[in-house]
Amino acid sequence: MNAGERLFGADTPRLVGSAGGPGGPLLIATAAIHGNEPAGVHALRRVFATIAELEPELELRGRFVGLIGNRAALLAGQRYLESDMNRLWSKRKLAELEAGDPALDTAEQKEQRELLLAIERELARAHGEVVHVDLHSTSGDSPPFLVQNGEARSLELARALGVPVLHGLMKNIDGTTLDLGLAKGFTSVVLEGGQNEAESTVENHESALWLTLCATGVVADEPRLELERHRERIARSTSGIPEAVEICLRYAIEPQEHFTMLPGFKSFERVAQGQLLALGGASGERPIRSPIGGLLIMPRYQGQGQDGFFLARAVGRVA
Ligand SMILES: [Zn+2]
């Protein structure tokens, strides 16, 4: 990834790659639902390139499909163009989309309609288990972690990947892709890989994808896949992080608020009650202090969206 390299253009297709046939499990991976998070797309490209190198000796026992979420925003290098594409997946919003006139779609609804069509096409041919992994990254530094939607299967996947689990996001945010699986009857998880531009984020996503391919049975564990190397990489990236945390607070940014996170915070960093975290208010000068002691999650270091930061507490892993 050289800075000058042309990575995405008008000819970049939504489909990053597909491999394997319709028998067996189906793993659908989406990336760049937020257009400023290209790491997942790079990771998908790497995994499909490796699969192509190893084929035909590598026997896929199911199907693997990689899709770009918000193409237009990815080309623009922005989180979104008109509205956050990761807030559009509740049953109500999906029904609105189905009932709506495509000619009146917002930029993100157009993307959503195309992405849904590609997913539905895969679902129609699938016979086995369906798992959807939505790859994201964060504006601040972060270890990789998995966000779950209450299904036991998503916790099994987190264990197989060796990543911490974030509980309670759905209580705080409506309409993420975690809702899509619940609406359509398959397993959906969100995988956060690290900081948006960091090379380690691409690596974390690449490793997580291989481990998910194995955990879902799309590929069998075999030496050429170097799964141990991927497990070690994830273990290094998550060293010292609790296995499971639960969100207890979301700082919601008001529409007219000028919000600035103080520099240098990382996800899963411990903060003290009363610690100054950000400046906000209409003036952009009101101190925002942590109301509790806890773990800071996803501090916002980019200009779009209403989530300033989250605070979480370590919890025992829910079996
Ligand atoms: Zn995201």
Side-chain angles (χ1 to χ4, degrees), residues 33-34 36-37 79 86 135-137 192:
I33 290 270
H34 289 135
N36 62 332
E37 301 173 11
R79 183 175 169 90
N86 205 24
L135 305 174
H136 284 259
S137 53
E192 294 284 354

Side-chain angles (χ1 to χ4, degrees), residues 61-110:
R61 301 170 174 196
R63 183 163 168 80
F64 174 41
V65 180
L67 295 160
I68 291 175
N70 197 337
R71 273 189 76 247
L74 178 67
L75 298 194
Q78 286 174 220
R79 183 175 169 90
Y80 56 80
L81 299 184
E82 288 181 65
S83 64
D84 192 327
M85 195 179 169
N86 205 24
R87 303 290 182 271
L88 302 178
W89 304 92
S90 64
K91 276 191 174 154
R92 184 176 61 81
K93 297 248 173 163
L94 286 171
E96 270 175 29
L97 184 80
E98 272 169 38
D101 178 355
L104 302 176
D105 280 353
T106 64
E108 271 68 30
Q109 282 176 320
K110 184 172 175 296

